[in-house]
Amino acid sequence: MSNASRNAASMLHVLALAAAVLTPADVLAAQPACEAPITLDLSVPRPALPVTVAGKPVRAVLDTGAVTTIVGYADADALHLKREGDLPAEFQRLPGTAGGYATTLPGVVVGGLALGDIHALAMAPLLPGYAVVLSPNAFGERLLILDLATATLRACDRAEGVPQGETSPYDPGPLSIPTLRVQIGAQVLAAHLDTGSPMALALPMRFAQTLALEGPLVPAGTAHSHTGPAPIFKARLAEDVRVGPLHLPRPEVLFTDAVPEPNVGTTLLRRLTITLDPKGRRTWAAEAVHGPA
């Protein structure tokens, strides 16, 4: 991958993060005025949610790793979306984006929450089988409380207040997405918080050369991303790991260059309650109250 593509796919992370240590009671007590919970479908690898565009139901997933909402080419045509401009420069550098364009999804409703018209990019489908990959940024200035343990998403009025406690910042680059603090031994990393990934903790291959492992890498399949297929390997770490408030004793982790930076996917996120603040570019994390779904 070229340096430009690598930078576009994932900007440099802030490594020295404040730990997001909230208790479940902190999260529940601090919730501002919220809309009715939106039920997520977790029978599939990524959280699917009910979405209509101009009154038409579409298959959609919530992807916290997406800086903007994506609609596939064929689905954009079926919805009669208009071409409103070229892709932003940082997206034009990515493989598979030739012919992509900026557009607007009209009259978007998620669950019972009307979002109105939202900006989107028409591109090759990132997740086959889904018409829309919905970014948290589509919810405007609302706080989002994501609780995969109860399969719910809540959109809350940010003006009513935000949770207390320390936070993890969003990625500081132009492709700004939420992060979680990950500590492996003495090393502190900012990992992408990514509901678009069904994996637990995944690390780029370069980390296999620097971390203490209990054994050799073992092939574990193939991952597919916007950069193309990449092999996956697994190994058990020789050190304990903290992911936000979670303590993982010498866990098995995945190594793949399908993720350009450390990545926390839905397998671990099911154990957390996450509050996202897209406007303030920060994240709170607490252990889930009800246990994994």
Side-chain angles (χ1 to χ4, degrees):
M1 187 188 305
S2 70
N3 288 336
S5 295
R6 183 181 182 83
N7 289 340
S10 175
M11 300 298 145
L12 293 175
H13 288 132
V14 176
L15 297 185
L17 299 175
V21 182
L22 289 178
T23 67
D26 291 331
V27 173
L28 293 174
Q31 288 177 356
C34 299
E35 302 286 344
I38 298 166
T39 300
L40 304 172
D41 179 3
L42 301 183
S43 66
V44 290
R46 301 164 180 89
L49 68 177
V51 172
T52 61
V53 177
K56 300 177 181 178
V58 298
R59 296 197 69 199
V61 293
L62 178 69
D63 186 354
T64 56
V67 68
T68 192
T69 295
I70 305 296
V71 58
Y73 289 131
D75 300 292
D77 290 342
L79 292 167
H80 306 292
L81 302 184
K82 297 180 180 179
R83 184 185 185 108
E84 298 173 351
D86 296 331
L87 294 179
E90 58 267 26
F91 285 88
Q92 293 179 20
R93 302 187 189 106
L94 299 177
T97 60
Y101 56 91
T103 188
T104 297
L105 290 172
V108 176
V109 178
V110 181
L113 177 61
L115 300 183
D117 298 349
I118 63 173
H119 174 74
L121 300 179
M123 296 168 50
L126 297 180
L127 300 175
Y130 294 96
V132 173
V133 176
L134 194 68
S135 166
N137 294 327
F139 290 83
E141 296 187 358
R142 299 173 178 89
L143 295 177
L144 296 178
I145 300 175
L146 177 64
D147 190 350
L148 296 186
T150 58
T152 57
L153 174 70
R154 301 176 71 192
C156 307
D157 186 355
R158 190 177 187 276
E160 297 292 327
V162 298
Q164 301 301 306
E166 296 178 334
T167 64
S168 293
Y170 274 37
D171 185 312
L175 294 183
S176 178
I177 60 176
T179 70
L180 282 177
R181 184 183 192 270
V182 171
Q183 183 170 353
I184 303 175
Q187 186 175 7
V188 179
L189 310 170
H192 285 169
L193 189 163
D194 188 4
T195 57
S197 166
M199 297 183 281
L201 177 60
L203 302 171
M205 290 300 300
R206 65 183 185 275
F207 283 89
Q209 308 303 316
T210 60
L211 296 176
L213 307 180
E214 289 191 350
L217 296 176
V218 176
T222 302
H224 297 272
S225 72
H226 59 272
T227 59
I232 304 173
F233 299 88
K234 62 182 179 181
R236 187 167 298 279
L237 297 179
E239 298 179 293
D240 289 358
V241 174
R242 292 200 70 89
V243 177
L246 299 177
H247 175 237
L248 309 177
R250 299 189 176 189
E252 183 176 84
V253 301
L254 300 177
F255 295 90
T256 175
D257 282 334
V259 294
E261 298 295 338
N263 187 286
V264 178
T266 53
T267 298
L268 274 180
L269 295 177
R270 286 171 182 254
R271 298 174 57 183
L272 295 169
T273 298
I274 300 292
T275 301
L276 302 174
D277 180 10
K279 179 178 173 61
R281 294 162 58 99
R282 53 188 172 169
T283 305
W284 292 261
E287 290 195 58
V289 176
H290 304 288

